[in-house]
Amino acid sequence: MTENPTAEDFDNDDLDELEEYPQPPRDVLIDGPELFPGDTGTLPLKLRQALIRLLRGPYLDANSSDNVYNTVVDNQEQLRVRLSELFLELVVDEDHKVALLRPVEMAEPHTTALQRQREMTREETLLLLRMRLVLDRHSGTGNEATIARQDILDVLEQYVDPQAHDAKGVEDLADAAIRKLVTERRLLLPTELDDVWVISNALPLALPYEHIGDIITFMNSLTDAPAEPDTAHEAPAEDPVTETQHDGEEPA
């Protein structure tokens, strides 16, 4: 018989013998139940659903009603193995109780993120930086950090060139940025008030500054207008870190 046999290399008796030894059935105790015909996966349904939620992005929050965050925390090692196959890293911040995915840094072909997140506009970047300052001021107080539409307008009016945009233009920029931060990035969470939002605890993972003074430095680098100093949190400036983009549906 040849080294790589084909069906022609077997006589009828050989084929009858092969049919007597089919592939071993799925071991339910080891592989778990089959979830659909032809299922070769071994993760239980709950972990597969958590994996899908992570890939959809932008992050998982412990405050969500379905407890997917807790499932991820309790099964990190199993999920990390699967995500490593896709060149993705699971990041869990147990202080802020959020989890998200980041692509690993590799220069090899075909290792970049499957779906790149849309680049942030200048207005979104400025708002996220200011939101990061507000969130830091509320750290340890036990109160949720919130921001109102008027606060957002004040931020943009401070940095937008008045010759390029009138008051209506600034409002349009603010509303567009708010929509994207609410619906796509989910870094602004709705409240009972139409014009007030809670700042998500996932923001520090999206903007991982070690020193608050670095945020002010970066805000100044985006515009010629000076940013308001935050003397209570000033620190020597280092190289700013921009928002990390990751796989899945829209990530933070």
Side-chain angles (χ1 to χ4, degrees):
M1 189 172 292
T2 60
E3 183 178 353
N4 297 305
T6 65
E8 296 176 355
D9 296 313
F10 294 95
D11 57 30
N12 290 335
D13 291 337
D14 292 329
L15 293 175
D16 290 340
E17 185 177 349
L18 286 174
E19 290 177 358
E20 294 177 2
Y21 297 96
Q23 291 295 320
R26 182 185 183 91
D27 189 329
V28 176
L29 293 178
I30 296 176
D31 302 326
E34 186 179 62
L35 300 182
F36 53 86
D39 181 15
T40 59
T42 57
L43 289 180
L45 176 61
K46 192 174 182 180
L47 286 191
R48 298 193 203 191
Q49 292 171 329
L51 194 58
I52 290 296
R53 286 286 302 278
L54 281 169
L55 290 169
R56 284 178 177 172
Y59 64 90
L60 294 179
D61 191 324
N63 293 325
S64 61
S65 59
D66 50 16
N67 294 322
V68 177
Y69 169 82
N70 293 329
T71 299
V72 169
V73 172
D74 294 340
N75 299 274
Q76 291 184 53
E77 296 310 314
Q78 282 182 279
L79 294 173
R80 289 183 194 280
V81 171
R82 306 304 175 108
L83 292 166
S84 292
E85 303 282 5
L86 301 176
F87 306 104
L88 292 171
E89 175 190 11
L90 174 63
V91 180
V92 177
D93 186 333
E94 296 193 25
D95 291 333
H96 295 95
K97 297 190 180 303
V98 291
L100 54 78
L101 300 180
R102 283 183 182 154
V104 299
E105 295 184 4
M106 289 185 65
E108 296 297 322
H110 311 299
T111 60
T112 56
L114 299 175
Q115 181 178 344
R116 299 294 291 174
Q117 190 172 351
R118 176 188 53 79
E119 294 290 341
M120 290 188 297
T121 64
R122 178 173 175 273
E123 289 73 31
E124 285 178 79
T125 303
L126 287 166
L127 288 178
L128 286 176
L129 292 168
R130 179 56 63 91
M131 287 160 50
R132 182 71 171 81
L133 290 172
V134 173
L135 191 64
D136 181 77
R137 295 189 186 109
H138 282 75
S139 177
T141 66
N143 299 321
E144 291 182 324
T146 61
I147 190 168
R149 182 175 181 272
Q150 186 57 54
D151 299 326
I152 292 173
L153 287 172
D154 291 343
V155 171
L156 295 187
E157 286 172 352
Q158 181 180 356
Y159 291 103
V160 168
D161 182 358
Q163 296 182 350
H165 296 281
D166 56 14
K168 179 63 168 60
V170 173
E171 289 193 15
D172 291 341
L173 288 173
D175 290 336
I178 290 170
R179 281 195 300 271
K180 290 169 184 174
L181 292 176
V182 170
T183 61
E184 295 181 14
R185 302 187 186 276
R186 290 198 291 134
L187 294 174
L188 284 179
L189 308 177
T191 68
E192 295 178 353
L193 302 176
D194 290 339
D195 292 340
V196 178
W197 297 268
V198 171
I199 301 172
S200 169
N201 284 328
L203 185 54
L205 292 179
L207 296 176
Y209 287 89
E210 294 184 7
H211 302 293
I212 297 303
D214 299 345
I215 299 179
I216 301 168
T217 300
F218 190 35
M219 292 181 79
N220 284 332
S221 73
L222 292 175
T223 176
D224 292 331
E228 293 179 359
D230 188 347
T231 55
H233 297 89
E234 281 189 2
E238 298 178 354
D239 292 336
V241 181
T242 55
E243 182 186 18
T244 302
Q245 299 178 351
H246 56 80
D247 268 11
E249 174 192 352
E250 296 310 315

